[in-house]
Amino acid sequence: MTTSMPSGPVDAATFRSAMRLIVGNVSVITAGIGEDRSGLVVISVVSLSAEPPKVIACVNRSSSTWPVIERHRHFAVNSLGPQRQGVAERFSGFGGIKGNDRYAGAEWTTMKTGASVLVDAVAAFDCSLDEMIDRGTHSIVIGSVEAVRTQDTGEALIYWHGAYRPLRAEV
């Protein structure tokens, strides 16, 4: 076990290394319609409120998805199962895949806002954009949940220690 003692301001590399030790659910945020759509992987989607239903995600303002969310005023959160690791890799930008090309190889539909929803997502939240709050390099994206779709298979895709990993529920 390695521990480090603080000796000054925390640098980005140290912060990222520590964040990789926190287990996170792998979700794909999608936004846009038709050819004007993009998406990215996020590990930190949280519930803000149940009444009314609202979620929060953090999106880097330098990502190609940030302006699409701002322009279309909607987004969908697609929580992935382990069988969709390839989707996570495409939406992470592996191989330089960008924009609408990230949607290849999976089946997508829409619900209420027009944002793309992965047909076999473990959970999908179709959201209208409430607000984007800028902090540091990211925006805190707050969405009102307009529709929900679930397919609980007892499995999820998580990110831990710098890698995607399957998580299976004990039955």
XYZ file of all heavy atoms in Angstrom, residues 7 15 18 21 24 29 34 40 44 52 58 60-61 66-67 69 71-72 83 90 94 99 101 104 111 135 145 150:
223
model
N 2.443 17.890 0.477
C 3.608 18.759 0.633
C 3.405 20.104 -0.056
O 4.347 20.845 -0.222
C 4.844 18.068 0.061
O 4.667 17.816 -1.320
N -3.979 14.301 -8.543
C -5.432 14.287 -8.405
C -6.044 13.176 -9.251
O -6.866 12.395 -8.776
C -6.004 15.650 -8.807
C -7.503 15.708 -8.754
C -8.165 15.766 -7.542
C -8.258 15.701 -9.925
C -9.544 15.818 -7.490
C -9.631 15.748 -9.883
C -10.279 15.803 -8.661
N -5.433 9.714 -7.799
C -6.301 9.442 -6.649
C -7.739 9.183 -7.093
O -8.413 8.293 -6.558
C -6.249 10.604 -5.664
N -8.906 5.698 -8.016
C -9.161 4.758 -6.933
C -10.610 4.796 -6.460
O -11.003 3.984 -5.618
C -8.215 5.036 -5.765
C -6.728 4.884 -6.089
C -5.883 5.291 -4.898
C -6.417 3.473 -6.552
N -16.510 4.166 -10.107
C -17.580 4.947 -10.716
C -18.337 4.150 -11.751
O -17.766 3.289 -12.438
N -22.952 10.152 -21.955
C -23.832 11.306 -22.130
C -23.934 11.551 -23.625
O -22.921 11.655 -24.315
C -23.243 12.570 -21.459
C -23.050 12.351 -19.975
C -24.085 13.799 -21.769
C -24.255 12.543 -19.128
N -29.575 13.857 -35.173
C -29.104 13.585 -36.530
C -27.601 13.638 -36.628
O -26.885 13.082 -35.808
N -19.968 11.663 -24.786
C -18.756 11.385 -24.048
C -19.056 10.478 -22.882
O -20.209 10.316 -22.495
C -18.102 12.676 -23.556
C -18.768 13.408 -22.398
C -17.770 14.325 -21.733
C -19.948 14.213 -22.889
N -19.291 10.182 -13.252
C -19.920 10.790 -12.080
C -21.245 11.456 -12.437
O -21.334 12.662 -12.555
C -18.979 11.817 -11.459
O -18.630 12.787 -12.428
N -38.680 17.601 -8.076
C -38.780 16.897 -9.361
C -37.482 16.158 -9.669
O -36.412 16.516 -9.142
C -39.002 18.031 -10.361
C -38.310 19.210 -9.749
C -38.469 19.047 -8.264
N -20.761 16.211 -14.840
C -19.726 17.201 -15.096
C -19.133 16.950 -16.478
O -18.728 15.834 -16.788
C -18.645 17.130 -14.027
S -19.283 17.559 -12.386
N -16.430 18.439 -19.455
C -15.308 19.314 -19.779
C -15.737 20.288 -20.878
O -16.267 19.871 -21.907
C -14.108 18.480 -20.247
C -12.839 19.280 -20.311
O -12.823 20.427 -20.753
N -11.754 18.672 -19.878
N -15.496 21.567 -20.657
C -15.922 22.577 -21.633
C -15.128 22.502 -22.933
O -15.561 23.017 -23.951
C -15.833 23.976 -21.019
C -16.917 24.202 -19.970
C -17.087 25.664 -19.571
N -15.866 26.374 -19.256
C -15.238 26.337 -18.084
N -15.715 25.586 -17.100
N -14.147 27.037 -17.884
N -19.809 19.385 -25.201
C -20.285 20.535 -24.428
C -21.087 21.515 -25.291
O -22.212 21.873 -24.913
C -19.105 21.225 -23.733
C -19.511 22.310 -22.783
C -19.751 22.176 -21.448
C -19.745 23.685 -23.091
N -20.113 23.387 -20.901
C -20.124 24.339 -21.907
C -19.682 24.431 -24.263
C -20.429 25.689 -21.841
C -19.986 25.783 -24.203
C -20.352 26.391 -22.999
N -20.584 21.958 -26.454
C -21.382 22.904 -27.236
C -22.663 22.297 -27.807
O -23.647 23.009 -28.031
C -20.444 23.360 -28.361
C -19.358 22.364 -28.416
C -19.266 21.736 -27.054
N -24.585 20.074 -26.195
C -25.546 20.162 -25.087
C -26.080 21.585 -24.986
O -27.289 21.797 -24.874
C -24.900 19.742 -23.749
C -24.520 18.257 -23.767
C -25.844 20.043 -22.577
C -23.670 17.813 -22.578
N -26.224 23.902 -27.302
C -27.006 24.263 -28.496
C -28.392 23.608 -28.505
O -29.385 24.249 -28.796
C -26.213 23.864 -29.744
C -26.800 24.287 -31.045
C -25.848 24.160 -32.233
N -25.120 22.911 -32.367
C -23.815 22.748 -32.099
N -23.075 23.752 -31.656
N -23.235 21.576 -32.276
N -28.448 22.308 -28.182
C -29.718 21.572 -28.263
C -30.529 21.607 -26.967
O -31.703 21.211 -26.974
C -29.464 20.128 -28.697
C -29.074 20.018 -30.133
N -30.001 19.965 -31.140
C -27.861 19.982 -30.729
C -29.374 19.876 -32.306
N -28.078 19.898 -32.078
N -21.385 -5.568 -21.380
C -21.384 -5.916 -22.799
C -21.201 -4.682 -23.683
O -20.988 -4.803 -24.876
C -22.673 -6.669 -23.176
C -23.893 -5.791 -23.391
C -24.593 -5.312 -22.122
O -24.078 -5.451 -21.025
N -25.780 -4.742 -22.279
N -15.467 3.836 -27.548
C -15.704 4.784 -28.656
C -16.024 6.179 -28.134
O -15.509 7.176 -28.627
C -16.839 4.289 -29.559
C -16.397 3.266 -30.577
C -17.412 3.054 -31.673
N -18.752 2.740 -31.216
C -19.136 1.539 -30.762
N -18.290 0.550 -30.688
N -20.376 1.351 -30.380
N -11.254 6.668 -27.929
C -10.192 5.741 -28.338
C -10.173 5.676 -29.852
O -11.206 5.592 -30.501
C -10.428 4.344 -27.766
C -10.236 4.222 -26.277
C -10.519 3.044 -25.631
C -9.791 5.275 -25.509
C -10.345 2.906 -24.258
C -9.619 5.164 -24.143
C -9.898 3.970 -23.527
N -17.655 12.799 -32.583
C -19.003 13.199 -33.001
C -19.945 12.051 -33.285
O -20.023 11.079 -32.542
N -19.842 9.696 -35.374
C -19.226 8.383 -35.624
C -19.164 7.521 -34.361
O -19.061 6.299 -34.453
C -17.820 8.548 -36.199
C -17.821 9.140 -37.594
O -18.873 9.057 -38.279
O -16.793 9.701 -37.999
N -21.798 4.487 -34.001
C -21.756 3.270 -34.820
C -21.615 2.032 -33.940
O -21.012 2.077 -32.871
C -20.589 3.351 -35.799
N -36.401 9.171 -26.778
C -37.595 9.163 -25.941
C -38.329 10.488 -26.138
O -39.034 10.647 -27.112
C -37.236 8.868 -24.487
C -36.783 7.423 -24.288
S -36.662 6.842 -22.574
C -35.188 7.639 -21.997
N -17.133 25.660 -13.542
C -16.184 25.592 -12.436
C -14.919 24.935 -12.968
O -14.961 23.809 -13.467
C -16.717 24.773 -11.257
C -17.898 25.410 -10.547
C -17.490 26.693 -9.814
N -18.568 27.255 -9.061
C -19.426 28.169 -9.522
N -19.329 28.610 -10.758
N -20.378 28.636 -8.760
N -35.155 15.399 -15.601
C -35.401 14.098 -16.210
C -36.811 14.088 -16.788
O -37.792 14.206 -16.068
C -35.203 12.965 -15.193
C -35.504 11.611 -15.831
C -33.790 13.004 -14.621
N -35.339 1.549 -18.110
C -34.426 0.668 -17.387
C -34.484 -0.755 -17.928
O -35.510 -1.190 -18.445
C -34.746 0.630 -15.875
O -36.060 0.114 -15.696
C -34.624 1.998 -15.247
